[in-house]
Amino acid sequence: MSKYHQQSSQEVMKILGVTSQGLNDYDVQSRQEEYGLNKLVEGKRTSTFAVFFGQFKDLLVIILMIAAFISFLLGEVESTVVIMIVITLNAILGTVQHVKAEQSLDNLKALTTPIAKVLRNNQIVEIPSEDVVVGDILYLDAGDYINADGRLLESYNLHINESSLTGESLSVEKNSSTIKEENVIIGDKKNMVFTGSFVTNGRGTVIVTAIGMETEIGKIANLLDTAKEKKTPLQVSLDNFGGNLALGITIICLAIFTIDLFRGRELVDSFMFAVALAVAAIPEALSSIVTIVLAFGTHKMAKENAIIRKLYAVESLGSVSVICSDKTGTLTENKMTVQQVYVDQKVIPHDQIQTKNTVEKNLLLMSLLCSNASLTDQKEIGDPTEIALVKLGKQYNLDALNIRDHNLRVAEIPFDSDRKLMSTVNRINNKNIMITKGALDVLLSKTNKIVTSEGIIDITEVNRKKIEEVNHNFSMNGLRVLAITYKEIKPNRSIGVEDEKDLIFAGLIAMMDPPRKESKAAVESCINAGIKPVMITGDHKITAISIAKQIGILKDPSEAIEGHEIEQLTDKQLQEKVQDISVYARVTPEHKIRIVKAWQEKGNVVAMTGDGVNDGPALKQADIGVAMGITGTEVAKDASSMILTDDNFSTIVKAISNGRSLYTNIKNAILFLLSGNAGAIFVVLYATVLGLPVPFLPVHLLFINLLTDSLPAIAIGLEPHNKNIMKDKPRDIRTPLLSKKFTTQVVLEGLLIAIATIIAFRMGLQTGDTLTATTMAFTTLCLSRLIHGFNSRSKESIFKIGVFSNKYTWLAFLIGVLCLHCVLFIPTLADMFDVATLNGVQLVFIYALATMPFIVNQWYKLLFVRSK
Ligand code: ATP
């Protein structure tokens, strides 16, 4: 049997049992049962079991296991059991967190599953690409990722990048003609398309011949590489910090251990000191808490229409100082409606076109023929600019699909935002008529005739001036203008962009795309937050200026330039100018990348929006590439780090404010954890230096670090938005989290906790019972850290931000206190944790001492920290 590429498209349709109406529901169901879902099998993930055992590789856990073993040798079986229970609990917790984080990333991914446009039951529908079956007729447009292998039925200037399969980075042109040879390599199968490649230009329809693992890529790759989520810079620096800390602590521990031995301390005691210090210092929960808070944060953002694709984006969001945004659809509604037309030298309102007048009617007919949009069952499919044309036709009972059926299209050069033109060739009254529509500034120079009611005449300078004047007036009112032109061409001739010349001017169609209601407030909020909003559009400069003025992006027209002016500037000159420009009009995607780079060179963190296939490089270059969820191509989404499900500019601003809050919250949670650890370290060091007994047992510190400290840390991570967060300037991305100021704060807050604990410890020692002393030290340390959770909520006093405004901190505090009291007062637990029974007076002292760091901290913040 010959292969699909050797058969004509009609034969392939026949073999696969498909009609020109596409598959029906019954076919789809039976094929899905036969072939399964269109999915590549994922690579194996680390099993939960392996993740669990992975937890035991941690340096701290190893130290603890040695401690447990030594305790066992010394006959302290209880200690061994407790340490082992804690280690196991920790491993379970770590595993659950790992699995949860993976799940939440999967959920985020599921929100961005690719879709495919297919013909089913004679209607074009959009379905998840997973549901595509063999025999489906698939529609491909520029920017689409191809998710199945197929044989081309039709192609219009279709260019496909197959680098993932062939390694060839240049796109190849495809067509539907049959290939004679049987054995041709993939790169030469010009009439087939393959999973994993994407459309760079043009349009096409294909019939699906293979899905899932049966596709060429499925056969080679066998397993889809489930690229692991990279750690964020913050996570990496915390990991490094943790590593360095562990190393430093090990050295200090060894030193103390040796000194103690020389001093004649018992070997076991010295060892327990060293272990206590190690446990006190290593912030076990840090990394997982950051992951949990990031996961919560991205979940919240997704609910607010911003899907984070790359976790590192969350951190950079808070530092964004420039947002370069598309106009159409992002700042405006992308709901175009035709307002006026210019035809036969008259400006006519959209509802007063005379279809009896052939010149006027022809303008409408040509606008419908040179468009791909359609209105079916009240559903609008296609580009909003073209939908506006179809709606205009409908106003006059001109049905686009019907008209296209009667004047068949024989060729097309699809629209692309570089050319800003689109052309079709239709059979009209037995003639081949090429219709070209697009931006007037591009088209006018390509016209040499004009249609009037007196017939077609040579275009004069006066005509040109008049057309330009009308275009200017339309644009001044913020209208987008399309020029419609045409010419007759010889039959049976293919067309290329070089044919878009010597055209006859038919008229102008001006449409309104109003700014989104939210845009103005969002722009204002950006400006207050020290973020520069910049509009980048393919539209006309005057239209862009008009819209930019309405939403407050631009004050003076001198802040706007056009793409061709950028070309005159060197990179250096553009850098110098970039701060003064708010609107870039008539730009191509290549200009976008230069604009991003110019801002970045000036030390800015840039968010850039994009939707087209050519936007990929600029989206990747930007610090935050933002793709449009509704109108964006799959290629743009793939290159982005964030996707807007509502395509709305104000969602970017909301995401930035979420990013800022999240970063502050994470920083506060880290401050909380590290200052608590510092407190414990100071107490242990103090006891070592003064030759006092060990103030805490390793299990005490483990209890605090893993349990009672984790909950407040997460609660701090969930601190609600500070209203004033968008009044600050963007955070300088170069300032490290663990800055000098931050470290000083860790040390000072740690000292306060240490002082309270040391006082309690000394009081305990005065009773002459070491067990009472360690119990008092442990209880004070645990309680003061729990209360300290309230301090770490904000750099302002909690009496200013609202004592009860974060209910999670209260919940965490109460659970923590409950756990502590269980350990103190339930005899079995008290035995396991080696704690003495405290009397009422001791407890009152402990509560008073544990509150002291809180009082000092709040007193300082009330007096010295000014709120905004
Ligand atoms: P942005 O989304 O970046 O703000 P845009 O969507 O306004 O830009 P393009 O879609 O690239 O920019 O359109 C640029 C110009 O191309 C428009 O001003 C219009 O004149 C012309 N144009 C837009 N859509 C079409 C189309 N479907 N057919 C022909 N010409 C078009």
Side-chain angles (χ1 to χ4, degrees), residues 563-575:
H564 66 87
E565 293 172 67
I566 301 179
E567 272 157 34
Q568 314 293 319
L569 301 172
T570 62
D571 287 346
K572 194 102 203 94
Q573 286 167 328
L574 182 61
Q575 263 176 49

Side-chain angles (χ1 to χ4, degrees), residues 119 148 192 234 239 272 280 361 402 421 446 503 589 616 646 694 738 751 810:
L119 183 73
M192 302 278 298
L234 178 60
D239 281 356
M272 281 308 169
K361 186 174 178 186
N402 189 13
L421 299 180
K446 298 178 188 289
L503 295 156
D646 60 354
V694 193
L738 305 167
L751 270 178
W810 279 97

Side-chain angles (χ1 to χ4, degrees), residues 325-330 336 370 383 385-386 415-418 420-422 437-441 480-483 535-540 586-587 592 611:
S325 170
D326 284 338
K327 171 178 72 69
T328 313
T330 317
M336 314 247 182
C370 185
D383 170 9
T385 307
E386 296 188 350
F415 171 72
D416 87 57
S417 46
D418 281 328
K420 302 187 184 5
L421 299 180
M422 164 174 178
K437 76 177 193 314
L440 178 79
D441 29 340
R480 152 177 291 216
V481 188
L482 278 187
M535 178 194 275
I536 301 187
T537 175
D539 222 334
H540 195 279
R586 288 286 189 238
V587 288
K592 283 187 164 184
D611 47 13

Side-chain angles (χ1 to χ4, degrees), residues 444-657:
L444 194 57
S445 57
K446 298 178 188 289
T447 54
N448 54 17
K449 293 202 165 55
I450 180 167
V451 200
T452 66
S453 37
E454 274 96 50
I456 298 169
I457 53 169
D458 281 343
I459 200 162
T460 61
E461 256 334 282
V462 177
N463 296 137
R464 283 187 202 279
K465 280 254 155 57
K466 175 75 185 162
I467 296 170
E468 275 171 347
E469 188 190 311
V470 173
N471 180 43
H472 185 83
N473 291 340
F474 282 156
S475 306
M476 286 286 275
N477 292 321
L479 300 181
R480 152 177 291 216
V481 188
L482 278 187
I484 310 277
T485 63
Y486 71 100
K487 71 176 179 185
E488 188 182 341
I489 60 162
K490 289 202 184 91
N492 304 327
R493 190 166 85 72
S494 61
I495 53 161
V497 287
E498 63 288 352
D499 293 299
E500 289 171 334
K501 62 172 189 207
D502 302 332
L503 295 156
I504 307 165
F505 180 84
L508 298 177
I509 300 183
M511 47 191 82
M512 182 65 193
D513 177 21
R516 286 177 183 269
K517 288 192 299 298
E518 318 82 303
S519 293
K520 195 168 180 188
V523 165
E524 194 182 326
S525 154
C526 271
I527 295 169
N528 289 339
I531 302 167
K532 166 107 179 157
V534 176
M535 178 194 275
I536 301 187
T537 175
D539 222 334
H540 195 279
K541 184 167 155 184
I542 314 252
T543 312
I545 290 177
S546 160
I547 303 278
K549 251 195 188 153
Q550 289 176 43
I551 54 181
I553 283 192
L554 162 143
K555 288 204 174 64
D556 191 273
S558 64
E559 294 166 42
I561 68 168
E562 285 196 357
H564 66 87
E565 293 172 67
I566 301 179
E567 272 157 34
Q568 314 293 319
L569 301 172
T570 62
D571 287 346
K572 194 102 203 94
Q573 286 167 328
L574 182 61
Q575 263 176 49
E576 272 152 29
K577 231 172 140 73
V578 80
Q579 258 145 339
D580 305 322
I581 301 170
S582 309
V583 172
Y584 296 85
R586 288 286 189 238
V587 288
T588 62
E590 290 76 54
H591 297 136
K592 283 187 164 184
I593 198 158
R594 287 192 61 200
I595 299 168
V596 176
K597 280 189 180 156
W599 276 109
Q600 285 173 330
E601 287 294 324
K602 288 242 151 198
N604 289 280
V605 175
V606 186
M608 158 78 83
T609 69
D611 47 13
V613 55
N614 300 338
D615 286 338
L619 288 173
K620 281 198 177 139
Q621 174 69 36
D623 301 273
I624 309 266
V626 185
M628 298 300 132
I630 305 172
T631 55
T633 56
E634 295 299 325
V635 173
K637 288 181 195 168
D638 202 58
S640 66
S641 43
M642 182 166 104
I643 298 179
L644 306 180
T645 54
D646 60 354
D647 289 10
N648 193 336
F649 178 79
S650 68
T651 303
I652 310 177
V653 183
K654 231 187 285 164
I656 290 181
S657 113

